[in-house]
Amino acid sequence: MSSTLTLKPDTPRPNIIYIMSDDHAVRAVSAYGSDIAHLAPTPNIDRIARNGVRFDESFVTNSLCGPSRAAMFTGKFGHKNGFNHNGQLFDGSQAVWPRLLKAAGYTTAVIGKWHINLTPDGFDFDHWEVLNDQGEYYNPDWITAEGIQKEMGYTTDQITSKTLKWLDQQRDKSKPFALVMHHKAPHRNWMPAPRHTRAFEQVEFPVPDNYFDTYEGRVAAQMQTMNIYRDAQEGHDLKMTTGVGETQWREDIWPHLLQRLTPEQRAEWDAAYQERNDAMNANEANWSEEEMAIWKYQRYLQDYLATIKSVDESVGEVLDYLEANDLAENTIVVYTSDQGFYMGEHGWFDKRFMYEESFRAPLLMQYPAKIKAGTVVSQLVQNIDYAPTFLEYAGVEIPAEMQGDSMVDIIARTDCDWRSSLYYHFYEYPAMHDVSRHYGVRDNRYKLMHFYYLMDEWEFYDLDKDPAEMTNAINDPAYANEIQRLKTEIKRLEAFYDVPPRTDWIDQPLEYKPAPTLEELYPHCFNS
């Protein structure tokens, strides 16, 4: 990478605020008009769509937290940026858009969840405050250059207040700014803020038609362990208690999260759930398996969507600050998630699969100086496109190594030529949730996937006729030509993106190159 960056002449230098949540499903953003939009609206996130552009066909390269973040920062697939699965060591010395912007005169910061390495090594942020690993919902540990500090309160609110403090008091106001604001919510285990624990307790959410999916014809789907009513932990995930009048959670393999609450917080938490849990415990013996499965679905959505309420409030505070300080016109504000998430479709929570709910991610962007309000982009975009887009808007040369494409032209003129297909690759198996390794291609109508490693299974879907991806049509002779076309397209995309030969990765075990531990980074914080 060249140390000298070329700025295009007469290019305005917009500020950038990149807001990313963790595991926020498209269906849970009301700007997309889903079946639950009226039940759990996100009015502030929707403001970004009204003020700017909504991307209706936005996808990720790998539906997993760390790899998705690495792709977003580098504009490259995991096989190029070196981060294919969680637990690897990310090389921050490669071209990443925050450091490129800093070299071009921006002041930069990251606040919130990081989750690629423990600290933003190599990014050269002017200011950074990141959560420890996954982060906690309550009283989180914050990592800075000085060490680790536990701070009391709700994490989403802390991220917001730290962001506003940096914007208002800490940044160099003589420079344009680029701020990365990463929320922990709505990641598992979905613990709402005290003000929202009861937000949806009286709401009955529609149960997906395929909630009781039997996965016929889909071998990999039969093997997964991410089913809400079979695999979610009754305590940790669903906050179910051991009996009437009890406050102790049932199964909870990460009890430290609940233990972080102060006695006062715990009392408030227990009071919010007691009546509902007591009713469940009193009726459990008389419920059928189906009734219990639906109760668990409702509890999951109640908490998942309640954590999003705090994120939406956070977005509103940031937008309000920009408007109050005459910064909105020349500031790019992005809202997205590191991937999609299952909200009961196929009976699931979590992500990983190339099926639509986890492959697709929300993406909204406003930039009043350049983007027409109410724009809708229907082209196939991917998270490797973010870095080139930010760099082009900032007038910074896009490194040749970036594999994504700038979206500037399709935002300004939605009828221009663009890619016709997307490549996806998931590597993390064997691992949590037992989703087999797979890769595939999606175009504007069809999807082809190959599951490998301990199996050799192909799946094909006509998304126009089967949007829920319930019928694997790989053996349907009516689609023989389309299937062969997409197999050829996979080979073309692998060559285009320089995917290593299959002999190099198809049967290889996962390679872990862990980052230094907190004890190694900050020994003075652990010495007694």
Side-chain angles (χ1 to χ4, degrees):
M1 182 182 65
S2 172
S3 59
T4 302
L5 299 173
T6 302
L7 295 178
K8 297 177 182 178
D10 302 321
T11 300
R13 298 167 63 75
N15 306 307
I16 299 173
I17 300 181
Y18 179 85
I19 306 173
M20 188 164 77
S21 55
D22 195 314
D23 294 343
H24 195 167
V26 170
R27 187 171 162 230
V29 177
S30 52
Y32 285 95
S34 76
D35 58 336
I36 64 166
H38 65 293
L39 297 173
T42 52
N44 292 298
I45 297 171
D46 295 356
R47 284 166 63 184
I48 301 176
R50 289 197 304 272
N51 294 340
V53 56
R54 186 188 75 212
F55 294 85
D56 282 356
E57 300 292 340
S58 169
F59 298 87
V60 297
T61 58
N62 181 346
S63 185
L64 195 63
C65 299
S68 182
R69 293 161 195 267
M72 174 271 295
F73 278 123
T74 64
K76 298 185 292 190
F77 280 87
H79 63 269
K80 282 295 189 181
N81 65 46
F83 204 94
N84 284 320
H85 59 83
N86 289 335
Q88 291 185 293
L89 179 63
F90 180 75
D91 177 11
S93 69
Q94 60 192 302
V96 289
W97 61 263
R99 192 177 67 249
L100 295 174
L101 291 181
K102 180 175 179 179
Y106 276 69
T107 183
T108 63
V110 59
I111 296 170
K113 186 166 183 174
W114 186 242
H115 203 38
I116 46 173
N117 306 350
L118 281 174
T119 56
D121 307 306
F123 280 72
D124 198 25
F125 285 107
D126 291 312
H127 177 92
W128 59 273
E129 297 178 82
V130 297
L131 296 171
N132 179 21
D133 192 39
Q134 292 280 2
E136 302 89 7
Y137 273 106
Y138 282 83
N139 310 325
D141 290 329
W142 285 92
I143 307 173
T144 67
E146 287 71 42
I148 313 156
Q149 180 68 44
K150 182 177 181 179
E151 298 188 22
M152 308 306 292
Y154 190 65
T155 298
T156 303
D157 298 341
Q158 289 184 12
I159 292 169
T160 308
S161 62
K162 288 176 181 291
T163 293
L164 295 176
K165 180 180 179 181
W166 184 80
L167 286 170
D168 197 51
Q169 303 173 25
Q170 296 173 310
R171 66 183 170 92
D172 182 346
K173 294 185 179 181
S174 69
K175 299 178 179 180
F177 63 82
L179 170 66
V180 175
M181 181 187 190
H182 281 184
H183 283 291
K184 179 219 171 39
H187 190 279
R188 189 183 187 186
N189 66 336
W190 318 298
M191 294 181 72
R195 62 187 180 277
H196 295 315
T197 49
R198 299 174 184 265
F200 298 109
E201 66 177 348
Q202 301 298 327
V203 177
E204 182 175 343
F205 293 101
V207 179
D209 292 340
N210 59 0
Y211 184 59
F212 293 102
D213 193 351
T214 60
Y215 317 115
E216 182 180 357
R218 290 155 285 155
V219 176
Q222 294 168 18
M223 293 173 54
Q224 52 68 37
T225 53
M226 45 190 261
N227 184 282
I228 293 170
Y229 48 90
R230 288 196 296 263
D231 304 312
Q233 291 187 47
E234 291 188 336
H236 178 78
D237 293 321
L238 301 174
K239 294 83 175 176
M240 297 168 67
T241 51
T242 55
V244 175
E246 300 293 333
T247 59
Q248 180 182 346
W249 280 1
R250 299 186 185 186
E251 183 188 12
D252 182 9
I253 62 172
W254 295 291
H256 67 284
L257 297 180
L258 186 60
Q259 292 168 4
R260 295 189 74 87
L261 273 64
T262 65
E264 294 77 15
Q265 289 170 332
R266 181 63 192 269
E268 186 175 10
W269 179 274
D270 291 340
Y273 284 82
Q274 193 72 52
E275 183 177 352
R276 285 177 285 163
N277 279 338
D278 285 351
M280 176 274 300
N281 283 311
N283 290 297
E284 181 178 10
N286 298 320
W287 283 349
S288 66
E289 289 186 7
E290 180 175 324
E291 288 172 319
M292 176 54 77
I294 291 175
W295 186 93
K296 289 182 175 182
Y297 164 80
Q298 296 294 345
R299 167 58 60 86
Y300 162 53
L301 252 64
Q302 288 167 1
D303 286 348
Y304 175 83
L305 293 166
T307 67
I308 291 172
K309 284 185 71 68
S310 295
V311 175
D312 186 71
E313 291 167 348
S314 173
V315 171
E317 289 190 53
V318 172
L319 295 177
D320 289 347
Y321 176 85
L322 295 176
E323 292 168 5
N325 290 274
D326 296 322
L327 291 169
E329 181 73 11
N330 198 44
T331 298
I332 298 169
V333 181
V334 177
Y335 185 84
T336 188
S337 179
D338 49 357
Q339 59 263 322
F341 211 66
Y342 293 97
M343 298 173 60
E345 301 90 353
H346 304 286
W348 295 338
F349 65 96
D350 207 68
K351 55 261 186 177
R352 290 169 168 80
F353 279 109
M354 194 188 173
Y355 302 124
E356 291 292 280
E357 291 84 2
S358 53
F359 183 29
R360 189 178 173 212
L363 179 61
L364 312 169
M365 183 186 306
Q366 72 174 55
Y367 178 16
K370 294 287 184 181
I371 298 176
K372 181 181 177 182
T375 299
V376 176
V377 169
S378 59
Q379 284 93 334
L380 299 169
V381 304
Q382 212 160 10
N383 54 355
I384 53 172
D385 299 326
Y386 301 173
T389 302
F390 301 153
L391 294 174
E392 180 169 352
Y393 273 133
V396 176
E397 183 179 1
I398 300 170
E401 67 194 72
M402 289 189 173
Q403 296 178 303
D405 295 310
S406 169
M407 301 181 290
V408 169
D409 285 346
I410 62 169
I411 294 171
R413 188 168 59 85
T414 58
D415 61 344
C416 62
D417 289 338
W418 188 250
R419 68 169 67 95
S420 60
S421 65
L422 300 172
Y423 180 74
Y424 178 90
H425 203 143
F426 175 80
Y427 296 85
E428 192 174 283
Y429 180 88
M432 181 178 289
H433 296 307
D434 299 304
V435 174
S436 184
R437 302 182 196 186
H438 59 289
Y439 58 89
V441 61
R442 184 201 193 279
D443 64 16
N444 288 301
R445 176 170 176 176
Y446 301 109
K447 181 186 294 180
L448 179 69
M449 297 182 283
H450 180 218
F451 293 87
Y452 67 95
Y453 192 66
L454 296 182
M455 63 176 67
D456 180 11
E457 298 286 338
W458 289 86
E459 296 184 13
F460 173 84
Y461 298 96
D462 182 338
L463 298 173
D464 281 359
K465 295 183 177 180
D466 182 21
E469 296 167 289
M470 294 291 291
T471 302
N472 178 12
I474 193 66
N475 295 316
D476 187 337
Y479 291 110
N481 290 337
E482 295 295 346
I483 291 169
Q484 185 55 51
R485 177 181 66 81
L486 289 186
K487 286 186 176 182
T488 301
E489 181 66 359
I490 285 178
K491 292 180 180 179
R492 185 192 73 81
L493 290 172
E494 287 178 338
F496 181 75
Y497 291 122
D498 197 23
V499 179
R502 296 183 186 183
T503 53
D504 290 354
W505 52 260
I506 198 159
D507 293 318
Q508 295 300 310
L510 298 179
E511 293 184 359
Y512 289 93
K513 299 176 182 178
T517 65
L518 283 177
E519 290 86 346
E520 291 169 332
L521 287 172
Y522 304 106
H524 61 281
C525 296
F526 293 87
N527 292 335
S528 57

